[in-house]
Amino acid sequence: MTYGVVAAVVAGGGYALWRIFRGGDGAPAATSPRPASAVGEAGKSADLVKTARASFEAGDFELAARQFQGAQRPLDAARAWRRAGNWSKAADLFEEQKDYASAAACQEKLGNRAEQQRLLEAAGEWSGAAQLAESSGNPGRAAELWIKAGDRARAAQLLDKAGDVRAAARMRAEWAQGQGQWREAAVFWVRAGELELALPNLAKAGDALGQAQVLVQLGRLAEAAEQFAAAGRDQDAAEHFEKAGQYRKAAMQFQRLGERERAIHCLQLDGDRAAVVKLRMAMQQFDEALRVALSVPTPMVSFFTLPTICSTKAS
């Protein structure tokens, strides 16, 4: 074999090499012929499309639709069925091809509102779907679709009508918060029963009194008292400090208000009898100051306080 190849090369040169690489007999390499059936089918399909288009242009839409279907052209068939007024077949074909908007339009012609809404939702046409849900007496679903359409105000109105006041308030709160309307957002969060969500909005609005009132509802009395104080509501601050058990802070607030007896009461609850003595002396209630001083268990307090009381009382 090797000798034959070498001899062929020497004798025939390029021709011999050509024979070797082309199979040895000089014939061109055979290519796989396209099956006659495939060629026939392609030609038949092209003919059907051409015929269908001719039928369509001639106004025979039903025939065109059948021909397009035979040529495996479902969208063209759907359009032809639509022109023929066969909304049911057109709708089915449009939906199969995921042309949901066209399918919805066909269902509208058929009066199938539920199917029309479903297909509009599939097409992402939220406003149209919401209008259908609303007109069909389904406010809850309509509200969901209006939210998707970006119309929260209309969604909230529908929820109000449906009696879902909290959901409507929550929706309005989210909208107001997104617009930077902090105080309005807080009001709606409170109506929605979401007190914790109202607090940061009130803080952003600089509404210390509003924060205090919400904190009272949450039972966070010490924090509420701080906010009452920040809002200049000393009476409320004092009373809430007292309710929260922060008696020293309550006493300071009551002193500012001139309510010394209540301040003394808070100091007593705090166990600060030395502070009670000083306040009694400031009020010139020396006998009472002396009585309290004598009850102070710390000797050093009595040692320094008693002479001061006695000398003040004598003068």
Side-chain angles (χ1 to χ4, degrees), residues 19 22 56 62 71 80 86 104 124 146-147 149 179 195 200 211 235 248 250 263 282 287:
R19 288 188 64 198
R22 297 298 291 179
F56 191 93
E62 184 172 341
N86 194 324
W146 280 122
I147 292 170
Q179 298 297 311
L195 300 182
Q211 290 180 78
Q235 186 73 42
R248 186 174 295 278
D287 291 338

Side-chain angles (χ1 to χ4, degrees), residues 44-61:
K44 183 179 178 182
S45 178
D47 289 340
L48 275 173
V49 171
K50 186 176 180 180
T51 304
R53 285 175 179 164
S55 299
F56 191 93
E57 290 171 5
D60 194 344
F61 302 115

